[in-house]
Amino acid sequence: MKVGIDARPLISEHTSGIGNYLINILKFCNNSQDVQYILYANEPLIYHREIVDRFEKRIIPGKIGTIWLCYKLKKHLYHDCIDVFWGTQHMLPLNTKGIHLVLTVHDLALLINPNWGSTQNAIMQNIFCRRSCKKANVVIADSASTADDVSRIIGKNIGDIKTILLGGDDVNKIPQNDFEKIGNKWNISCKEYFLFVGTLEPRKNIIGIIEAFNTYCSNEEGEEKLVLAGGYGWKYRPILEDIKKSPYKDRIIITGYVSEIEKQILYSNAIAFVFPSYYEGFGLPVLEAMSYGIPVICTETSSLPEVGGEYAYYVKTPTDTMAIYQAMKAIRQLDDFQRTSLSTNEQKWYKRFSWERCAMETIKVIKTQQVVIRCE
């Protein structure tokens, strides 16, 4: 069996959550006499080269990734006699015959609300994600919530949708002196800041976090700060304007893109993780935060309750900034025993999520597709 994989999430050194998802699956994909994996992309693959270089690659130039995948890739799949193609990020080659198609859908954010992304991306998703979902032999969804979205919005038969929850990375113990370097860099102190990690964009409800933090600062004693860690995304400028208008702007830190080690240090030493997102296909940052045993504030929307379980502080709606503030206040008032107990329970819950399990279930779906292609 030959398996083609859309490897475009690995073309950037600073990759997204989808890139991390793919690389964690590839760790457990082994070429053998029974199966051969081939990675396809329109640009060179540079993320985690030590893993990528284990596989045969096809770098086929193309300017617009979606058009490249949907229309240009087909003849190369036929040339390589691909039996199964795995679309890792919402899209599949169209008009293929004889190739079984597996599609991973991480979320349907832009089908639910086109204003959560650029007009071009929203149009692309609405056209090509819909067509790809309908064409796929199997759709893999990151959560039961996303599986329901695919069934409800696309009309896909629920029997053709497989829910495979994502996993979590092993937690690295961070020496205290490492935090001192980070603290000096951003002028923060251990356990004296609330943390958000993710792309700065409207869907993540950063403005809601800022409003809740303003309320917190105006009502509570102390000098706690808010750290927003992540790169700038779609429509980030209103977020920057909101920070400028804040009477507590000197206590709000934007780090920009952070390295993996910097992210780990920030998680390890935060008061709490604040993530009142409007919509998440899975909500991997919530799981990451729980792996470090820090309290999590998130919304009851989409997939987040599946990830947070019984151990997150939930607010019913993202727009309820007073509820976000109340959760921040409640967490700040936890005593050492309460915090330790919550941390222990979070870490036990976190262990239920495994990249190895996610990878094995995904590989099983791929391998159980019927081989019907004939080389042309």
Side-chain angles (χ1 to χ4, degrees):
M1 172 186 284
K2 285 189 175 182
V3 178
I5 298 175
D6 176 9
R8 290 176 300 137
L10 308 179
I11 63 178
S12 172
E13 181 180 359
H14 303 315
T15 191
S16 65
I18 298 178
N20 286 325
Y21 161 80
L22 177 54
I23 209 70
N24 276 292
I25 303 298
L26 290 179
K27 288 178 183 178
F28 297 93
C29 291
N30 296 309
N31 288 311
S32 66
Q33 290 183 344
D34 297 328
V35 61
Q36 177 188 358
Y37 298 96
I38 302 176
L39 307 183
Y40 293 87
N42 58 328
E43 296 180 33
L45 306 177
I46 60 177
Y47 186 65
H48 271 286
R49 288 289 300 273
E50 73 282 2
I51 295 174
V52 168
D53 286 348
R54 289 168 24 196
F55 300 94
E56 193 170 347
K57 295 176 284 293
R58 300 282 188 272
I59 308 303
I60 305 155
K63 290 184 178 181
I64 302 175
T66 298
I67 302 301
W68 170 89
L69 179 80
C70 291
Y71 295 110
K72 187 173 183 178
L73 187 57
K74 176 180 69 172
K75 65 179 181 180
H76 300 280
L77 301 181
Y78 285 144
H79 180 269
D80 289 333
C81 294
I82 293 298
D83 299 307
V84 180
F85 185 83
W86 175 29
T88 60
Q89 53 175 349
H90 303 179
M91 308 290 183
L92 288 169
L94 300 177
N95 302 319
T96 55
K97 294 182 180 179
I99 300 176
H100 270 245
L101 301 171
V102 176
L103 178 68
T104 294
V105 174
H106 301 282
D107 64 67
L108 292 181
L110 294 182
L111 275 68
I112 293 171
N113 187 340
N115 293 322
W116 284 337
S118 70
T119 300
Q120 178 179 332
N121 284 340
I123 292 172
M124 289 285 195
Q125 288 284 332
N126 269 279
I127 295 174
F128 295 109
C129 181
R130 285 181 184 274
R131 292 183 66 182
S132 296
C133 285
K134 291 178 179 179
K135 186 174 178 60
N137 297 96
V138 179
V139 171
I140 297 174
D142 286 353
S143 63
S145 172
T146 298
D148 289 342
D149 288 341
V150 172
S151 178
R152 175 174 55 86
I153 297 172
I154 306 295
K156 189 75 173 176
N157 188 320
I158 199 69
D160 298 325
I161 306 171
K162 173 72 173 177
T163 298
I164 301 179
L165 299 177
L166 305 189
D169 297 320
D170 293 334
V171 177
N172 296 317
K173 299 298 181 182
I174 308 298
Q176 185 59 35
N177 61 349
D178 282 352
F179 176 77
E180 292 173 3
K181 299 173 188 175
I182 296 299
N184 292 335
K185 180 178 180 179
W186 289 308
N187 191 27
I188 54 178
S189 301
C190 181
K191 301 301 181 186
E192 293 295 332
Y193 61 92
F194 295 97
L195 176 66
F196 165 86
V197 175
T199 304
L200 273 61
E201 60 185 4
R203 179 164 62 92
K204 303 298 183 180
N205 194 24
I206 313 296
I207 288 177
I209 297 174
I210 294 167
E211 290 178 4
F213 183 69
N214 288 341
T215 304
Y216 179 92
C217 293
S218 64
N219 286 280
E220 306 300 324
E221 296 181 356
E223 295 297 323
E224 292 84 2
K225 296 184 178 182
L226 173 63
V227 176
L228 305 174
Y232 295 130
W234 166 249
K235 288 188 176 179
Y236 70 90
R237 294 190 184 279
I239 296 170
L240 301 185
E241 291 299 320
D242 224 50
I243 293 173
K244 288 181 181 178
K245 294 175 185 176
S246 170
Y248 307 100
K249 60 185 177 183
D250 292 340
R251 291 163 64 178
I252 302 175
I253 294 111
I254 297 180
T255 68
Y257 179 84
V258 294
S259 68
E260 193 64 27
I261 186 65
E262 288 173 334
K263 182 174 70 171
Q264 292 167 358
I265 292 170
L266 287 171
Y267 273 133
S268 297
N269 295 281
I271 299 168
F273 180 63
V274 189
F275 198 74
S277 177
Y278 282 96
Y279 174 88
E280 295 294 323
F282 181 78
L284 195 56
V286 169
L287 191 61
E288 288 180 335
M290 285 187 159
S291 73
Y292 290 93
I294 64 170
V296 170
I297 301 168
C298 63
T299 46
E300 291 183 349
T301 59
S302 58
S303 64
L304 293 175
E306 293 179 61
V307 183
E310 300 177 7
Y311 305 109
Y313 285 71
Y314 292 104
V315 295
K316 287 189 176 298
T317 61
T319 55
D320 192 348
T321 57
M322 184 58 66
I324 300 171
Y325 151 64
Q326 293 288 354
M328 295 167 75
K329 176 183 176 181
I331 289 171
R332 195 67 178 108
Q333 293 176 344
L334 292 175
D335 60 32
D336 289 343
F337 175 80
Q338 291 171 321
R339 183 174 282 272
T340 300
S341 177
L342 176 61
S343 176
T344 300
N345 286 328
E346 281 186 333
Q347 290 173 320
K348 286 180 180 178
W349 172 255
Y350 164 80
K351 290 179 180 178
R352 297 178 53 178
F353 298 85
S354 160
W355 278 122
E356 182 176 7
R357 173 204 46 76
C358 177
M360 292 299 101
E361 291 183 15
T362 302
I363 293 168
K364 181 179 179 181
V365 169
I366 292 170
K367 287 185 175 181
T368 52
Q369 299 305 300
Q370 295 179 2
V371 179
V372 296
I373 191 171
R374 299 294 181 267
C375 293
E376 297 184 359

